[in-house]
């Protein structure tokens, strides 16, 4: 039989396995057990890590992997909208465009060569994310300094946290990657992103996460979403139980056009969120039902265990009582045996009875507690202890007793005591040739 501590531990692990299976939807109980063992049976850590794994989010409880965050971007149904830069108009426009074309080409070529060469000298510092929240806060401050405080509410957390919240709340997540060096970034932020109608739509219908690609956190998200140009917006939502990019907007988009595109993307994918809400509600109801069943099962199990415990205690109590009774019987049997042996020993040690014609003999009649009488002769010179030993050796005599004389009424000191360390002889006790002595039973006292 296992120890009580092991039984309790097994029961606790079983409860955690069932809860973990309900929360994660993993069908294999063995896989659930391995996941919990990897986190030392920490339920919160195991569930959070499982959710992160499903979303491609770095583990909260383990060192983050070096690979970029994974979001489903390969869906062929992704809506993509790209705004090309306007073509030059008129002779003056084309002339300015042709004159500036060599300079722009030379500038960007030299810049690309410089960046490419710089990668061989030292690694890109953006590839190591050490303070993602700090990157977000820094971008927010620089954005407000440059474009003012009238802007959509930025999500003040990491990209991973934004994905988790959007999944948990079943909301759209709009991601904006800011290219600091792109020529259209300033105009987009100032005129489009900060437009009142755009701010109202974003704040009321979705979460908004933004970061500069010059920051490590923004650069990592850029590697995951693989934008082609700036400004870049990506709409992400929970679709088929995965956080999926359902819309990409690239280029300098005007406020009205941005509102139309965002509304179109949300309307086209709203059914997925409704379906997911229904499925989640059904899963929650199933989970509640299973939890109720598990609680009822555990309550029944605990009741059975309590009954079994009481039965064990009752069996143990009866066993101890039987052992005590048996021990008492054995003790009583040993006591009786010892008493009988002591009686026999006393009988063997008694001096012979004097003859009736011996002038120094004393005839004593003993009245026992059971009203029977015993008669024997003793010698005047013998100690009162002999009288006591004689009575003790009789089967009819009690285990403990005292001997009393009637005239005058007194208790004879037949057993050594503080007052009489050496009991007197029959003559010293003042007994006559014929005496009647009474035996008083002291066994129950």
């Amino acid at each position: 039989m296992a120890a009580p501590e092991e039984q309790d531990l097994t029961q606790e692990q079983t409860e955690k396995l069932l809860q973990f299976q309900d929360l994660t939807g993993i069908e294999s109980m063995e896989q659930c057990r391995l996941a919990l063992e990897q986190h030392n049976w920490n339920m919160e850590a195991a569930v959070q890590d499982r959710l992160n794994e499903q979303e491609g989010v770095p583990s909260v409880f383990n060192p983050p992997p070096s690979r970029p965050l994974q979001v489903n971007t390969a869906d062929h149904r992704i809506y993509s909208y790209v705004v090309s830069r306007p073509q030059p108009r008129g002779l003056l426009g084309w002339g300015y465009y042709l004159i500036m074309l060599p300079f722009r080409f030379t500038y960007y070529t030299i810049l690309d060569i410089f960046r490419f060469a710089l990668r061989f000298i030292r690694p890109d510092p953006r590839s190591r994310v050490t303070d993602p929240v700090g990157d977000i806060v820094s971008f927010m401050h620089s954005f407000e300094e440059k474009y003012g405080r009238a802007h959509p509410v930025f999500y003040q957390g990491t990209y991973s946290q934004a994905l988790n919240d959007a999944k948990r709340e079943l909301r759209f997540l709009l991601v904006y990657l800011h290219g600091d060096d792109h020529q259209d970034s300033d105009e987009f932020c100032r005129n489009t992103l900060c437009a009142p109608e755009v701010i109202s739509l974003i704040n009321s219908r979705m979460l908004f996460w933004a970061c500069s690609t010059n920051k490590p956190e923004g650069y990592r998200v850029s590697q995951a979403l693989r934008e082609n140009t700036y400004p870049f917006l990506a709409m992400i939502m929970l679709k088929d139980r995965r956080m999926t990019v359902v819309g990409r907007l690239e280029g300098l988009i005007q406020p009205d056009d941005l509102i139309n595109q965002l509304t179109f993307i949300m309307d086209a994918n709203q059914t997925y969120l409704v379906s997911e809400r229904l499925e989640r509600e059904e899963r929650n109801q199933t989970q509640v039902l299973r939890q109720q069943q598990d609680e009822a099962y555990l309550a029944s199990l605990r009741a059975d265990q309590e009954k079994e415990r009481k039965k064990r205690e009752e069996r143990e109590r009866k066993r101890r009582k039987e052992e005590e009774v048996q021990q008492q019987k054995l003790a009583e049997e040993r006591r009786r045996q010892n008493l009988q042996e002591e009686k026999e020993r006393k009988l063997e040690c008694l001096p012979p009875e004097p003859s009736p014609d011996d002038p120094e003999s004393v005839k004593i009649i003993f009245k026992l507690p059971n009203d029977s009488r015993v008669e024997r002769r003793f010698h005047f010179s013998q100690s009162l202890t002999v009288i006591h030993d004689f009575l003790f050796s009789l089967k009819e005599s009690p285990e403990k007793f005292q001997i009393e004389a009637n005239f005058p009424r007194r208790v004879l000191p037949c057993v050594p005591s503080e007052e009489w360390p050496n009991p007197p002889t029959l003559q010293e006790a003042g007994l006559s040739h014929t005496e009647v002595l009474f035996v008083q039973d002291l066994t129950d006292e």
Side-chain angles (χ1 to χ4, degrees):
M1 183 179 292
E5 294 79 7
E6 295 177 355
Q7 291 180 347
D8 293 343
L9 181 59
T10 302
Q11 180 179 347
E12 180 182 359
Q13 289 178 347
T14 303
E15 294 179 7
K16 288 187 176 181
L17 278 173
L18 294 173
Q19 293 176 5
F20 182 77
Q21 186 180 44
D22 289 338
L23 292 174
T24 60
I26 300 176
E27 296 182 357
S28 173
M29 188 64 72
E30 179 66 17
Q31 186 176 354
C32 294
R33 183 184 64 80
L34 292 176
L36 285 170
E37 287 180 349
Q38 290 175 356
H39 296 83
N40 296 323
W41 294 91
N42 186 321
M43 174 67 70
E44 181 181 356
V47 171
Q48 184 62 46
D49 222 19
R50 175 64 182 176
L51 294 177
N52 290 344
E53 180 183 345
Q54 291 175 342
E55 297 174 7
V57 179
S59 172
V60 177
F61 303 95
N62 298 315
S66 58
R67 61 182 174 82
L69 301 172
Q70 295 180 356
V71 174
N72 185 15
T73 59
D75 194 336
H76 67 278
R77 294 167 293 181
I78 294 178
Y79 177 79
S80 181
Y81 183 78
V82 181
V83 179
S84 302
R85 290 190 56 79
Q87 298 293 331
R89 294 183 179 181
L91 184 61
L92 183 61
W94 276 105
Y96 177 78
Y97 174 77
L98 293 175
I99 293 174
M100 296 302 298
L101 181 61
F103 293 100
R104 284 198 297 269
F105 177 79
T106 303
Y107 170 76
Y108 286 111
T109 301
I110 295 175
L111 182 61
D112 291 340
I113 294 174
F114 175 75
R115 289 176 176 173
F116 181 77
L118 189 62
R119 293 178 183 177
F120 291 93
I121 300 175
R122 66 183 181 89
D124 193 337
R126 297 178 301 174
S127 61
R128 297 184 59 186
V129 181
T130 57
D131 184 14
V133 177
D135 295 341
I136 304 301
V137 173
S138 175
F139 171 72
M140 290 171 51
H141 289 166
S142 63
F143 187 95
E144 291 181 349
E145 289 177 359
K146 196 168 185 179
Y147 306 113
R149 293 182 173 273
H151 57 74
V153 177
F154 290 107
Y155 183 91
Q156 300 187 30
T158 66
Y159 177 62
S160 301
Q161 293 169 342
L163 286 174
N164 282 333
D165 284 352
K167 178 179 181 179
R168 185 180 67 253
E169 300 174 12
L170 292 179
R171 299 182 63 185
F172 290 99
L173 173 63
L174 183 63
V175 175
Y176 168 61
L177 295 178
H178 183 78
D180 293 276
D181 301 328
H182 197 275
Q183 55 188 343
D184 293 332
S185 294
D186 283 345
E187 182 178 351
F188 174 78
C189 292
R190 199 179 307 276
N191 298 331
T192 300
L193 197 57
C194 295
E197 58 272 23
V198 173
I199 295 174
S200 176
L201 174 66
I202 294 176
N203 289 346
S204 61
R205 303 280 306 270
M206 65 198 75
L207 296 177
F208 182 65
W209 185 90
C211 192
S212 169
T213 55
N214 286 344
K215 304 291 183 181
E217 175 72 355
Y219 178 74
R220 182 169 65 170
V221 177
S222 171
Q223 295 298 301
L225 298 181
R226 300 174 184 176
E227 73 282 8
N228 298 312
T229 186
Y230 300 97
F232 174 80
L233 292 167
M235 183 73 84
I236 302 175
M237 61 170 286
L238 183 62
K239 183 179 179 181
D240 299 328
R241 297 191 177 184
R242 295 187 60 184
M243 295 303 289
T244 304
V245 176
V246 295
R248 298 167 61 94
L249 306 177
E250 300 177 89
L252 183 58
I253 307 176
Q254 299 304 314
D256 292 342
D257 196 11
L258 176 60
I259 291 175
N260 292 334
Q261 296 301 326
L262 292 177
T263 303
F264 174 79
I265 294 173
M266 288 187 292
D267 291 344
N269 292 277
Q270 189 67 36
T271 55
Y272 292 103
L273 288 183
V274 173
S275 175
E276 184 61 34
R277 288 191 183 96
L278 293 176
E279 290 183 9
R280 181 172 294 184
E281 183 177 355
E282 183 178 353
R283 288 197 300 270
N284 290 338
Q285 292 177 352
T286 303
Q287 179 180 345
V288 170
L289 178 60
R290 182 179 296 180
Q291 183 177 358
Q292 292 175 347
Q293 293 174 344
D294 293 340
E295 289 176 355
Y297 168 75
L298 292 175
S300 175
L301 180 61
R302 284 192 291 267
D304 293 341
Q305 291 175 342
E306 181 66 17
K307 290 180 181 178
E308 183 62 26
R309 183 187 64 81
K310 290 182 177 179
K311 288 181 179 179
R312 288 198 304 269
E313 291 179 352
E314 181 64 20
R315 289 195 297 267
E316 182 66 18
R317 185 185 64 80
K318 290 182 178 179
R319 185 188 63 81
R320 287 197 300 266
K321 186 175 181 180
E322 290 175 356
E323 287 182 354
E324 291 176 359
V325 172
Q326 188 66 23
Q327 291 293 334
Q328 291 175 358
K329 289 181 179 179
L330 292 175
E332 180 64 21
E333 184 64 29
R334 285 195 298 267
R335 188 188 65 80
R336 290 177 180 177
Q337 185 176 356
N338 293 336
L339 180 61
Q340 184 61 32
E341 292 176 355
E342 181 68 13
K343 286 178 177 291
E344 293 176 356
R345 188 180 64 82
K346 294 289 187 182
L347 181 60
E348 293 175 357
C349 294
L350 285 175
E353 183 178 3
S355 63
D357 55 354
D358 187 346
E360 296 296 323
S361 66
V362 178
K363 178 183 177 182
I364 301 178
I365 299 173
F366 299 97
K367 287 188 175 182
L368 300 177
N370 60 359
D371 294 333
S372 62
R373 294 191 176 198
V374 178
E375 180 180 325
R376 193 185 191 279
R377 289 183 177 275
F378 300 90
H379 202 279
F380 269 118
S381 62
Q382 291 175 343
S383 172
L384 291 178
T385 304
V386 177
I387 299 176
H388 185 276
D389 292 345
F390 166 72
L391 290 172
F392 181 79
S393 65
L394 299 176
K395 293 182 179 180
E396 301 87 352
S397 64
E399 184 177 347
K400 295 180 182 181
F401 58 88
Q402 66 182 13
I403 303 172
E404 298 178 353
N406 211 9
F407 300 105
R409 189 174 183 84
R410 65 191 185 281
V411 177
L412 299 180
C414 300
V415 180
S417 61
E418 294 182 1
E419 185 179 356
W420 297 94
N422 297 311
T425 64
L426 276 66
Q427 187 175 11
E428 292 173 345
L431 298 182
S432 60
H433 287 280
T434 301
E435 286 287 346
V436 178
L437 300 180
F438 299 89
V439 180
Q440 183 71 30
D441 190 356
L442 301 178
T443 304
D444 295 334
E445 294 183 4

